[in-house]
Amino acid sequence: MGNGIIEMERYSFSLGGRRILKDVSFRAGEGEYVSVVGPNGAGKTTLLKCLCRIHRGGSGAVRIAGRLLQEYGQKDLALQVSYVPQADGRLYPFTVYEFVMMGRYPHLGPFSSPGGRDERAVRDALALTGTAEFAERYPGTLSGGERQKVFIAAALAQEARILLLDEPATFLDPRHEAEIHGLLARANRERGVTILSVTHDINSAAVTSRRILALKNGAVAFHGEPDAFMNGEILAGIYEKPFLFAAHPRSGKKIVVPELFS
């Protein structure tokens, strides 16, 4: 495999006696936006948790920025990888500013206080995500879409080179969903952050990503460009159902359209 900021080679992982990832190989280049798709239970969330070492072990090789994952100390890894998990409704007893400042932990010593660089990183992350107006509020007082943007702000304040996101727009209304996708595109474009984002939204993956990684039953079913992915035979093989397509009215790209039921 060629060099990439993320490289996984014939990686397998089991949990509770069940083999969840099976000989997964892929690479993501620095600054790429990669969407991870596939049916429920395909191993998408497990893949992210293995990359940020919430799950440890497995067989095969995982390299981050050319270095084997197991060689990183936790703080060094946090300088490379940040992670936004699925929204779980959990409430935190911190203001938004305090919560986002916690993303600076890899840059701070055990007894040091945040300095000017840390404060600038937090302000920049709040500005990029449009959450500066919530700085003195508590996350529990915000809407689901606003909270999700705060979690992304904390990950961006971490200033890691890689951002892993697990269904960042799930359960959001269309406006907040569009805002989340827009700010991720800006972070990728303006900051050069490598993004690996799990999604069930095939159209969003096709429109926003530079590359798509599809998993099925824990194995790689597709890894390539969105135009090649939006193919009836490929999608039917992954999701075990037929798909209907149309051209996007602005970009002309192929998108999936819903079926009609009577």
Side-chain angles (χ1 to χ4, degrees):
M1 297 176 67
N3 292 331
I5 193 168
I6 303 172
E7 295 177 89
M8 186 171 274
E9 190 167 5
R10 297 190 61 82
Y11 181 78
S12 297
F13 179 80
S14 298
L15 192 63
R18 176 173 165 248
R19 196 173 181 220
I20 299 175
L21 297 176
K22 305 169 185 175
D23 293 324
V24 173
S25 295
F26 81 97
R27 66 178 293 276
E30 186 155 15
E32 276 196 323
Y33 192 131
V34 181
S35 288
V36 184
V37 303
N40 290 333
K44 302 183 296 295
T45 294
T46 299
L47 178 75
L48 295 193
K49 288 184 175 181
C50 289
L51 285 171
C52 64
R53 221 163 52 188
I54 291 174
H55 292 327
R56 295 172 180 259
S59 62
V62 180
R63 291 180 176 84
I64 302 295
R67 184 177 172 190
L68 287 170
L69 185 60
Q70 62 266 30
E71 294 177 353
Y72 280 95
Q74 198 58 35
K75 205 167 186 179
D76 286 340
L77 183 61
L79 294 172
Q80 300 291 337
V81 180
S82 57
Y83 173 58
V84 180
Q86 289 184 28
D88 59 7
R90 200 176 306 176
L91 302 179
Y92 300 89
F94 309 101
T95 66
V96 165
Y97 185 89
E98 290 167 339
F99 182 80
V100 175
M101 181 60 78
M102 289 178 186
R104 297 296 298 167
Y105 79 94
H107 302 274
L108 298 172
F111 302 109
S112 62
S113 299
R117 179 181 172 184
D118 304 299
E119 292 170 358
R120 285 192 297 274
V122 169
R123 286 197 302 269
D124 288 348
L126 291 172
L128 181 64
T129 55
T131 54
E133 63 184 294
F134 309 132
E136 300 308 315
R137 289 176 60 178
Y138 289 86
T141 69
L142 304 178
S143 72
E146 291 164 346
R147 278 198 304 274
Q148 193 69 354
K149 288 194 285 186
V150 168
F151 297 149
I152 294 171
L156 292 175
Q158 191 174 322
E159 292 188 318
R161 299 167 67 188
I162 300 165
L163 177 56
L164 308 177
L165 303 112
D166 195 356
E167 299 188 49
T170 301
F171 307 127
L172 300 185
D173 62 60
R175 179 174 73 86
H176 283 104
E177 181 179 353
E179 288 176 352
I180 294 295
H181 289 310
L183 76 88
L184 292 176
R186 282 186 62 198
N188 175 248
R189 181 178 64 253
E190 296 176 8
R191 293 191 171 196
V193 177
T194 302
I195 292 178
L196 202 67
S197 181
V198 167
T199 182
H200 281 290
D201 188 337
I202 295 171
N203 286 332
S204 171
V207 170
T208 62
S209 311
R210 188 180 305 175
R211 195 169 294 274
I212 291 177
L213 173 68
L215 300 180
K216 181 180 181 182
N217 297 325
V220 174
F222 176 88
H223 182 219
E225 296 182 355
D227 287 348
F229 177 71
M230 298 299 276
N231 172 286
E233 186 175 343
I234 289 173
L235 290 182
I238 294 169
Y239 292 97
E240 299 180 3
K241 68 174 294 296
F243 284 81
L244 300 172
F245 299 94
H248 191 284
R250 289 184 180 174
S251 69
K253 287 180 175 290
K254 188 184 290 187
I255 58 173
V256 171
V257 296
E259 298 180 35
L260 296 177
F261 299 96
S262 58

